[in-house]
Each structure stands twice: as C-alpha cells, then as structure tokens.
C-alpha cells in the first residue's frame, strides 16, 4: 500500500510537467540520408520547434548553412540555434519553423558542383536533400514557406542557391558571405590553388559566371532576383566586407530591394549569434500572410 501511495504521489508530482515537456523543441545533429549523386551517406542536423512531435500541422523551413571548417553541428554547437530560436519563438519575434542544417564538409568542402562535374553537391542539395527533408518532415513545400541562410562559406552558398534557384526560396540571408569579386584569371588561379585542375578550359567561362557574385547580379533576370527577399549582414571588421559591400552596391544599382547591415564585429561566432535572431524575424515575415 505504501508503494502504491508513493507511486501515486510521484505521478501527481510529474503530471503537471508533462505538457511542458511535450512542448519543448528538439535538435538532432547526427542524422543521415543516402546520396546517389555523391555516392555516400550525408549527415544533417535539424531543429524541430516546440510541439512538433505532438501536433499534425506542417511548418515552414529554413535551410541554415554552416561555414568552412564546420559541419552540420556548427550552428547547433557554436551558433546556439536551439536556445536562440526558442527565445525568438517565446518572444513572438519569429514564427515556428523547422531549421535544417546540412553537412558540406565531408570528403569535399563546399556547397557547389565542381568545375569538372565530378562532385555534384549542389545537384545533391536540390535533387536529393530538399526532397528527402520535405517528404520526411511535416514541411510546407512551397517557395513562400522556404528560406535559406548561412554564414561565410554558407553565406556564399545561400546567396548563390537563391540566385540559381529563385523559384525555391522566399528569402535568403547571407551572413558574412564569401562573395569575392575576382577576375576570371584570379578565379582560375584560386581553383588551382585549392588543388582543382580545370580539365576543360571552355567550361570555366560558364562556371565563373555562375559562381562570381557580381556576374550573377549582372546576368540574372531582374524579376527573378526581385522575387526573393534579401538580407545581408557583415561585420565592419570582417575580412569579407568588400565583397559584401560590392554586392550591396550592385543590387542597389539594379534596384533589387534588399536589407544590408554593417554592424560592429568580425568573422566570429559571437557576431553570427547576434545575427540569427534578426534572420529568424526576417524569414518569418515571408512565412506570414502580408
């Protein structure tokens, strides 16, 4: 009898906390999917908003890209994505969303296909990764409910993904983005310095046009660029400030609406953690009815 009373008392004490526990967000940072394009398993991390596991609703999605040297755990471990997003949701400055963080640092580093067509990460991202994510989780799979953001290498990734596929993203938020304004020869030399030999010189022209930020702004459809809501943020002490500033100027000249922020700070996680709340608020505006 005493044991039953103890059990009843324990249940009575725990029951009030069960609804709160069911409303907690969840983060998983070591998930995988198979890729035929890359011939390997690929890792990703995911943030599921409070209530996801006990609701039937579908959510908008933010693809959040890490920088060079990190992997899918970067935004989880150093960017404090769970704490920051939970706080934004609690304060009402962001709408509940799923945040997906792919790994772009296994075997080869970067978010793009290579110049020789032998490594096809961008094809993997659009042809395998997004379809897998949006069929596995309860995600609203429309442009309006899809956004992309990232820092440094991932900032460049988010810029070019939205440039290459403006039909896919309602918002793009490159942070401290790797947007360099090299000449074609400088670009070729940079490829060689990274260990990449251009096997077909004729392919370099198209590749350069597709991966040089100012060329993208020059060549892309104005209507396509205007169909994406843009948010740029770069620290005043960041070594990538010049490329971000030149992109801002080029987009102003083209009259492409965008937000551009220069704040005090450098190329650091401390800076990006302060950027993330504004990014969450910015992409939420597109997710809402206006």
């Amino acid at each position: 009898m005493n044991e039953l009373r103890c059990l009843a008392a324990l249940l009575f004490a725990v029951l009030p906390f069960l609804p709160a526990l069911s409303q907690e967000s969840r983060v998983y940072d070591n998930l995988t999917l198979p890729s035929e394009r890359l011939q390997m398993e690929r890792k990703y991390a995911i943030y599921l908003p409070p209530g996801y596991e006990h609701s039937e609703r579908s959510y908008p999605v933010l693809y959040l890209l890490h920088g060079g040297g990190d992997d899918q755990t970067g935004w989880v471990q150093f960017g404090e994505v769970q704490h920051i997003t939970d706080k934004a949701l609690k304060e009402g400055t962001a709408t509940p969303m799923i945040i997906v963080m792919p790994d772009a640092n296994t075997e080869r580093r970067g978010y793009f296909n290579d110049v020789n067509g032998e490594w096809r990460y961008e094809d993997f991202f659009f042809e395998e990764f997004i379809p897998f994510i949006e069929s596995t989780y309860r995600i609203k799979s429309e442009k309006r409910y899809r956004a992309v953001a990232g820092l440094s290498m991932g900032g460049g990734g988010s810029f070019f993904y939205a440039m290459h596929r403006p039909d896919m993203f309602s918002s793009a938020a490159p942070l401290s983005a790797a947007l360099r304004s090299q000449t074609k020869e400088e670009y070729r030399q940079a490829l060689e310095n990274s260990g990449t030999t251009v096997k077909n010189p004729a392919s370099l022209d198209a590749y350069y046009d597709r991966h040089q930020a100012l060329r993208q702004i020059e060549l892309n459809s104005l209507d396509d660029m205007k169909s994406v809501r843009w948010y740029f943020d770069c620290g005043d002490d960041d070594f990538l400030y010049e490329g971000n500033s030149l992109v801002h100027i080029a987009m102003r000249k083209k009259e492409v609406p965008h937000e551009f922020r220069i704040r005090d700070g450098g190329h650091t996680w401390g800076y990006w953690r302060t950027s993330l709340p504004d990014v969450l608020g910015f992409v939420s505006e597109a997710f809402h009815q206006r």
Side-chain angles (χ1 to χ4, degrees):
M1 182 64 70
N2 287 337
E3 291 179 355
L4 289 175
R5 287 176 180 170
C6 290
L7 181 59
L10 179 61
L11 289 173
F12 183 78
V14 170
L15 282 173
F17 297 98
L18 291 180
L21 290 173
S22 69
Q23 294 300 311
E24 289 183 352
S25 64
R26 297 285 187 270
V27 167
Y28 304 92
D29 67 0
N30 195 33
L31 303 173
T32 62
L33 75 154
S35 170
E36 291 185 7
R37 299 286 182 278
L38 302 180
Q39 293 294 301
M40 64 188 304
E41 292 283 316
R42 299 300 303 190
K43 291 184 178 182
Y44 68 96
I46 194 164
Y47 166 92
L48 300 175
Y52 176 87
E53 295 178 349
H54 298 279
S55 75
E56 296 182 359
R57 66 168 288 193
S58 296
Y59 295 83
V61 61
L62 169 63
Y63 291 91
L64 188 59
L65 312 183
H66 66 76
D70 286 325
D71 56 24
Q72 80 283 355
T73 66
W75 275 107
V76 176
Q77 181 67 35
F78 308 118
E80 299 179 10
V81 66
Q82 185 174 23
H83 167 71
I84 290 172
T85 307
D86 284 352
K87 186 173 184 289
L89 296 181
K90 184 177 181 180
E91 294 175 351
T93 57
T95 193
M97 67 184 80
I98 291 171
I99 302 176
V100 183
M101 296 152 278
D103 168 35
N105 196 37
T106 296
E107 191 161 319
R108 296 195 191 185
R109 179 182 295 183
Y111 292 96
F112 310 122
N113 299 350
D114 71 10
V115 66
N116 298 311
E118 297 171 345
W119 178 257
R120 298 167 57 196
Y121 190 94
E122 186 170 347
D123 290 347
F124 154 76
F125 186 86
F126 286 103
E127 297 171 12
E128 296 182 308
F129 187 66
I130 287 181
F132 172 85
I133 292 295
E134 297 185 8
S135 64
T136 303
Y137 301 93
R138 296 195 311 276
I139 288 173
K140 295 178 180 290
S141 54
E142 306 165 38
K143 169 187 168 84
R144 173 180 163 186
Y145 299 111
R146 189 185 296 114
V148 63
L151 67 89
S152 193
M153 179 181 80
S158 61
F159 174 83
F160 287 107
Y161 278 4
M163 280 286 183
H164 296 168
R165 293 296 306 272
D167 60 306
M168 292 288 287
F169 302 107
S170 59
S171 301
L175 309 175
S176 308
L179 301 173
R180 299 178 176 88
S181 54
Q182 300 119 310
T183 65
K184 191 180 301 180
E185 177 56 29
E186 289 171 337
Y187 196 86
R188 183 193 64 77
Q189 189 61 54
L191 287 174
E192 290 190 359
N193 291 344
S194 68
T196 300
T197 300
V198 180
K199 296 181 178 179
N200 179 8
S203 66
L204 181 61
D205 288 351
Y207 196 80
Y208 174 77
D209 287 346
R210 188 171 173 82
H211 297 92
Q212 207 266 19
L214 299 181
R215 289 292 289 162
Q216 280 288 283
I217 296 170
E218 179 182 348
L219 296 172
N220 277 10
S221 157
L222 190 58
D223 287 341
D224 283 347
M225 288 189 287
K226 288 183 175 181
S227 76
V228 178
R229 298 175 69 254
W230 296 95
Y231 181 95
F232 296 87
D233 184 1
C234 187
D236 57 0
D237 297 318
D238 197 307
F239 69 95
L240 293 172
Y241 81 93
E242 182 178 2
N244 284 263
S245 299
L246 290 173
V247 164
H248 162 60
I249 292 168
M251 294 185 88
R252 279 292 301 270
K253 288 181 177 178
K254 286 275 191 176
E255 298 185 347
V256 177
H258 64 285
E259 299 295 322
F260 181 65
R261 301 286 183 270
I262 292 288
R263 298 183 293 112
D264 181 38
H267 205 76
T268 67
W269 273 110
Y271 187 88
W272 301 317
R273 284 192 293 268
T274 62
S275 300
L276 185 56
D278 290 333
V279 169
L280 297 174
F282 182 80
V283 302
S284 292
E285 291 177 12
F287 297 156
H288 286 149
Q289 182 71 44
R290 292 188 293 164

